[in-house]
Amino acid sequence: EDQVTQSPEALRLQEGESSSLNCSYTVSGLRGLFWYRQDPGKGPEFLFTLYSAGEEKEKERLKATLTKKESFLHITAPKPEDSATYLCAVQARSGGSNYKLTFGKGTLLTVNP
Amino acid sequence: DADVTQTPRNRITKTGKRIMLECSQTKGHDRMYWYRQDPGLGLRLIYYSFDVKDINKGEISDGYSVSRQAQAKFSLSLESAIPNQTALYFCAIQGTGYGYTFGSGTRLTVV
């Protein structure tokens, strides 16, 4: 069974204080790892897809990296508007036509001004 | 128009009532999903559909049913609502890049 564990559950930062969120996963062959941002009461919003170990993607203050066992979402010099819940999800290569994603429980990030 | 539209946005219903949540999409994708989200439990898959004739149960399908009326429409029904079905419900579509696009969600409260 595919499993995704995100840590920490919650993270509080001061504006400008860089940090990283972790997503560790167990999957029988990784087809893709996905990062989403979710604001309160809204649907998750797509950030990145990573497909193979060593891959990196960047968007503004966010950078996602991938190894064979985990992914990190690095946040550089965060601003209050980066406050949100960040979700990680994996898609297994096995399973034929089954493309469903398995999600972690998320990390609630709060950035104080 | 949004890629994925969910209606209603908020709903309060009484225990035992039947309720339907609706989802429609404008992207023409075949794969559609229903998830519920609860604090501390994350997103859990209820049902998914790969086309109009292919509907599958997810990990928490008990107490729910679905209907894929057309490629663009995928509805979730609670046949007899109970309080522990109070949650935030999301519909998602999936294109060729394998990632999901989510709707804005339906906040359902069962009293």
Side-chain angles (χ1 to χ4, degrees):
Chain A
E1 183 178 330
D2 304 337
Q3 290 191 329
V4 179
T5 302
Q6 292 188 245
S7 62
E9 292 184 8
L11 179 63
R12 190 176 294 271
L13 300 174
Q14 288 299 121
E15 185 171 3
E17 179 186 2
S18 301
S19 188
S20 297
L21 313 182
N22 177 263
C23 171
S24 62
Y25 63 90
T26 303
V27 64
S28 53
L30 182 70
R31 177 180 274 147
L33 184 140
F34 302 82
W35 282 98
Y36 287 84
R37 170 193 170 123
Q38 186 177 21
D39 293 304
K42 297 187 177 181
E45 179 181 324
F46 172 78
L47 291 174
F48 304 109
T49 307
L50 301 168
Y51 294 105
S52 58
E55 190 175 359
E56 300 181 351
K57 294 271 180 78
E58 286 190 67
K59 180 180 180 181
E60 297 180 355
R61 295 176 292 281
L62 300 176
K63 179 180 177 180
T65 62
L66 181 64
T67 72
K68 289 186 178 180
K69 294 183 178 181
E70 58 191 349
S71 177
F72 291 94
L73 185 65
H74 305 279
I75 303 175
T76 302
K79 298 181 177 182
E81 53 261 43
D82 294 322
S83 297
T85 296
Y86 290 85
L87 301 173
C88 173
V90 298
Q91 185 178 59
R93 187 178 301 280
S94 62
S97 61
N98 189 345
Y99 296 96
K100 65 180 175 69
L101 302 187
T102 299
F103 285 84
K105 294 179 181 180
T107 293
L108 174 61
L109 174 66
T110 304
V111 182
N112 295 316
Chain B
D1 288 344
D3 292 346
V4 183
T5 301
Q6 291 185 238
T7 57
R9 288 299 314 276
N10 293 281
R11 180 72 181 267
I12 301 174
T13 192
K14 293 183 177 180
T15 298
K17 293 291 187 181
R18 184 179 189 276
I19 183 170
M20 178 182 288
L21 309 183
E22 299 189 342
C23 175
S24 62
Q25 57 140 328
T26 60
K27 300 297 286 184
H29 294 326
D30 287 327
R31 294 190 288 270
M32 299 185 74
Y33 301 80
W34 275 105
Y35 283 83
R36 67 176 279 177
Q37 188 175 43
D38 301 272
L41 296 178
L43 285 161
R44 293 183 291 166
L45 182 62
I46 307 172
Y47 269 96
Y48 58 104
S49 171
F50 291 158
D51 65 41
V52 175
K53 297 182 179 180
D54 184 2
I55 293 178
N56 305 276
K57 293 182 178 180
E59 57 184 301
I60 55 163
S61 59
D62 287 349
Y64 301 95
S65 63
V66 290
S67 172
R68 185 82 182 263
Q69 303 95 324
Q71 187 197 41
K73 295 183 182 295
F74 192 34
S75 300
L76 177 71
S77 293
L78 286 68
E79 299 301 325
S80 179
I82 56 176
N84 76 358
Q85 291 178 313
T86 293
L88 193 53
Y89 289 83
F90 288 105
C91 175
I93 62 174
Q94 188 177 41
T96 55
Y98 305 129
Y100 289 173
T101 300
F102 286 87
S104 298
T106 294
R107 183 171 298 280
L108 176 66
T109 303
V110 183
V111 299

